[in-house]
Amino acid sequence: MSKQKIRVYRDIVEVNAQWSNLTRKLLKDQSVVMLNIIGSPGCGKTTLLEQTCKLINQDLRLAILEGDIETTRDAERLKDLGIPVSQLITGGTCHLQAQLINQALNDLPLNSLDMVIVENVGNLVCPAGFDIGENAKLAVLSITEGEDKPLKYPLLFREAGAIILTKTDLLPHLNFNLDECISYIKQINSEIPIFQVSAFAQKGMQQWIEWIREFAQKG
Ligand SMILES: Nc1nc2c(ncn2[C@@H]2O[C@H](COP(=O)(O)OP(=O)(O)OP(=O)(O)O)[C@@H](O)[C@H]2O)c(=O)[nH]1
Ligand SMILES: [Mg+2]
């Protein structure tokens, strides 16, 4: 009987895991930490980043990777902050894949950075299932989405290292039940830090900034 070689093809999740492991090693070697920001379209990720970069840029050396299906609009919004910003365009895929992240990281001056912040494609589901080699995921939920979203989309809230509730300036105008939302989050992830923030009213930013500074040191 002739000996036949079997070709093996890995599925997308396994290939993704190989790239994310390479990225983890790259970041560790360069002493850089990476945060993966995930939330629905329009929940306020870029606005939060604009404010955050202004507040921490003095003491941390940052770079931003902006993920979107199309356009460079989010990178354009951040480009005048004096921080390296790259736009990663997936061309239709609803989440960033580890290979694209690895490619973008290799084009950054990692040895002169402390932290890379990734804004993933606006989506509450798919990005949570794809490791990109980050040290932590940050879940962003705007109060306009409804208090039940942590229960309905639990993976992100289970995996996240911290959660930001955005647009709290709109609380007086909505029927959003803040206590209920927090209790749903705690059911899924009892220990997770939750920050209530309004980028517009500049409220709640300080506690969040303290968390990110600590994260930059410990990873
Ligand atoms: N009221 C209020 N609106 C906000 C706040 N932060 C962001 N917004 C608004 O929410 C909308 C979406 O904000 P973005 O920062 O673009 O949201 P995003 O999550 O980056 O959106 P995608 O990248 O498209 O997923 C914009 O109209 C913002 O002006 C806030 O603190 N309060
Ligand atoms: Mg955005």
Side-chain angles (χ1 to χ4, degrees):
M1 205 199 286
S2 69
K3 283 188 182 165
Q4 191 199 138
K5 281 188 182 164
I6 308 288
R7 288 200 178 98
V8 176
Y9 299 93
R10 310 268 174 205
D11 79 352
I12 181 173
V13 176
E14 200 165 325
V15 171
N16 193 73
Q18 288 164 0
W19 280 103
S20 57
N21 286 336
L22 284 176
T23 289
R24 238 183 298 281
K25 185 175 180 324
L26 173 71
L27 293 172
K28 193 163 182 240
D29 289 348
Q30 299 283 346
S31 303
V32 175
V33 296
M34 187 162 80
L35 184 68
N36 182 7
I37 301 185
I38 301 176
S40 301
C43 67
K45 299 179 292 299
T46 310
T47 309
L48 179 77
L49 261 179
E50 287 169 312
Q51 301 280 337
T52 302
C53 290
K54 283 181 194 154
L55 291 169
I56 61 175
N57 194 23
Q58 273 80 27
D59 27 278
L60 286 176
R61 297 167 303 169
L62 296 177
I64 310 284
L65 301 181
E66 272 296 339
D68 272 301
I69 288 174
E70 281 297 342
T71 84
T72 56
R73 291 176 69 96
D74 279 4
E76 304 279 345
R77 284 167 61 182
L78 297 166
K79 74 174 178 0
D80 294 331
L81 293 170
I83 294 170
V85 182
S86 313
Q87 181 77 51
L88 279 54
I89 294 178
T90 68
T93 310
C94 57
H95 59 89
L96 288 168
Q97 290 184 24
Q99 183 174 2
L100 196 58
I101 294 284
N102 190 275
Q103 192 183 336
L105 287 174
N106 275 299
D107 289 335
L108 285 175
L110 288 178
N111 57 4
S112 57
L113 293 178
D114 300 308
M115 176 159 60
V116 175
I117 305 182
V118 179
E119 179 182 339
N120 217 309
V121 176
N123 186 320
L124 203 50
V125 183
C126 312
F130 282 82
D131 179 13
I132 53 169
E134 74 275 339
N135 298 77
K137 293 180 176 68
L138 174 77
V140 178
L141 176 69
S142 62
I143 64 164
T144 52
E145 293 169 66
E147 59 276 306
D148 59 352
K149 295 305 168 287
L151 291 182
K152 295 179 73 179
Y153 305 90
L155 179 62
L156 173 61
F157 297 90
R158 198 175 294 134
E159 296 246 317
I163 295 176
I164 299 208
L165 297 177
T166 56
K167 311 193 188 180
T168 56
D169 54 288
L170 296 176
L171 270 170
H173 311 289
L174 302 170
N175 287 328
F176 184 84
N177 188 326
L178 186 60
D179 292 340
E180 210 168 296
C181 184
I182 290 172
S183 85
Y184 293 151
I185 292 170
K186 294 255 158 98
Q187 278 178 40
I188 292 161
N189 196 334
S190 57
E191 299 297 317
I192 195 159
I194 303 167
F195 302 103
Q196 298 169 36
V197 164
S198 166
F200 277 19
Q202 302 265 325
K203 285 225 171 106
M205 290 298 286
Q206 217 43 55
Q207 293 96 319
W208 150 241
I209 294 295
E210 277 165 31
W211 183 89
I212 208 169
R213 282 208 179 99
E214 203 172 310
F215 169 75
Q217 281 173 359
K218 294 187 188 155

